[in-house]
Amino acid sequence: MGHYIGLDLGGTNIKGGLLDEAGTTVAQRSIPTESHGGPGHVMDRLNTLARQLADDATLEWDRVDGIGVGTPGPLGDGDVVLSAPNLPGWKNVPLGAGMTERTKRPVAIVNDADAAAFGEFWTGAGAGESIQHMILLTLGTGIGGGVIINGKLFSGAHRAGAELGHVIVEPQGRPCGCGQVGCIERYASASAVANEAKRRLGAGEASSLTSIDEVSCRAVFEAAEAGDAMALSVVEEACDKLGTTCVNLVRIFDPQMIVFGGGMAHAGDALLSRVRATFDRRTWHVREERVTLTLATLFNDAGFIGAAGMARAELGA
Ligand code: BGC
């Protein structure tokens, strides 16, 4: 039976799992990314984690059939990460070559959100024959996008699609790590929600959120639920922009399902009900809308499960 390792490279942690052919996770663990050490150090960390996973599963290293790495950022020729807006120093990083050299195993490189979309499609929210057209938005440090069309992952003509976090929603808006302004990830990612609440607190707005340093996306959602007006307006702005973005995605792709993953999706119905409200208001009413807006089921595991699945699809016998 084949064994594949999936690694999900995030700004804070690298999550990994060793999966068998059928998609069952045999071992999993997570380590800090230490992104301040730069790309070479992060690749060492990826290699360390992969080898720990094989040890955990008592699998000899040369019996690992492939390693899939999900990375933020659009990819260039030769598995180069062109730019990862949320990882310091990540410009034109030869991740494929660096990982092949370190691991000496076959490596598949994939965008992190594409990996998560494939994971949710394979064994999560979209699993089963009936879903063949699905979009995943990961709401974390940035916003990642993955699109499944006709049961296959879509990555565009140049492996730079679908970068749905960089859909521009405010042409004169907030500066983004990608070099543009007004991208949806600056308004509706988990970091954007926390940052906007911090900005408004810093500007002296009244709120039950008092200590700026402790403001997280989760704290903002909790304060909003408890009736804090400032937190509520931050949450509503984010959900409104997400709802509008979903309408745009439905106009372009006509999917059966849009799935929300990433840290902010833990807000559950507080997120979903508001996104749906804007979606219902702004979508066409020519017939009953047939797309389902829903939450991820694999959450933090989607990225490594999908990365292993992509390795199996690309490198498997
Ligand atoms: C990057 C994407 C990535 C997403 C989530 C965005 O800023 O451009 O490639 O999928 O963050 O990490």
Side-chain angles (χ1 to χ4, degrees):
M1 174 174 292
H3 287 93
Y4 297 89
I5 289 178
L7 302 173
D8 180 17
L9 171 56
T12 313
N13 292 304
I14 307 170
K15 298 175 214 72
L18 190 144
L19 275 71
D20 67 18
E21 190 79 41
T24 306
T25 301
V26 180
Q28 79 179 84
R29 62 159 79 207
S30 156
I31 59 172
T33 308
E34 299 177 358
S35 64
H36 53 83
H41 180 65
V42 171
M43 288 192 263
D44 290 342
R45 304 282 293 155
L46 288 162
N47 180 35
T48 302
L49 176 59
R51 289 173 187 267
Q52 281 171 345
L53 287 163
D55 284 349
D56 290 347
T58 56
L59 187 74
E60 282 169 36
W61 188 240
D62 56 10
R63 289 196 51 219
V64 174
D65 295 291
I67 301 174
V69 184
T71 170
L75 298 168
D77 294 341
D79 287 336
V80 168
V81 181
L82 297 180
S83 161
N86 302 305
L87 284 177
W90 281 64
K91 288 256 182 298
N92 298 317
V93 175
L95 183 60
M99 289 309 294
T100 306
E101 188 188 312
R102 284 169 175 78
T103 63
K104 316 263 187 295
R105 302 304 307 145
V107 169
I109 305 292
V110 56
N111 172 270
D112 59 352
D114 283 355
F118 191 75
E120 288 290 343
F121 171 69
W122 188 26
T123 64
E129 292 291 293
S130 62
I131 300 295
Q132 293 295 309
H133 302 268
M134 189 195 104
I135 294 176
L136 174 82
L137 292 172
T138 61
L139 313 172
T141 309
I143 293 185
V147 176
I148 306 282
I149 299 176
N150 267 329
K152 296 234 162 5
L153 185 72
F154 164 83
S155 54
H158 313 100
R159 298 180 78 199
E163 282 282 350
L164 304 180
H166 301 279
V167 167
I168 295 173
V169 292
E170 290 286 353
Q172 260 71 46
R174 299 177 191 160
C176 182
C178 74
Q180 285 299 334
V181 295
C183 299
I184 180 74
E185 80 168 31
R186 293 297 134 171
Y187 296 86
S189 60
S191 333
V193 166
N195 289 341
E196 178 61 3
K198 285 181 187 173
R199 188 193 65 76
R200 288 173 63 166
L201 272 183
E205 281 192 47
S207 167
S208 59
L209 293 161
T210 43
S211 158
I212 292 198
D213 294 341
E214 282 163 27
V215 173
S216 61
C217 174
R218 182 181 173 163
V220 179
F221 267 87
E222 281 171 3
E225 287 307 288
D228 183 282
M230 186 274 269
L232 188 60
S233 108
V234 171
V235 162
E236 285 187 335
E237 183 192 17
C239 293
D240 187 59
K241 286 205 160 41
L242 265 183
T244 304
T245 301
C246 288
V247 174
N248 293 339
L249 295 176
V250 168
R251 293 290 81 83
I252 301 167
F253 294 105
D254 185 22
Q256 294 165 286
M257 187 179 258
I258 298 182
V259 182
F260 301 101
M264 194 160 114
H266 287 287
D269 197 53
L271 169 81
L272 203 53
S273 59
R274 292 189 172 94
V275 174
R276 277 190 187 137
T278 299
F279 182 84
D280 290 345
R281 202 174 68 246
R282 290 192 185 272
T283 195
W284 280 342
H285 294 106
V286 286
R287 67 157 183 234
E288 198 189 333
E289 197 59 84
R290 281 181 284 187
V291 61
T292 305
L293 271 49
T294 190
L295 298 170
T297 61
L298 302 177
F299 278 101
N300 291 339
D301 296 351
F304 76 72
I305 291 177
M310 296 290 293
R312 172 178 165 270
E314 286 184 20
L315 308 168

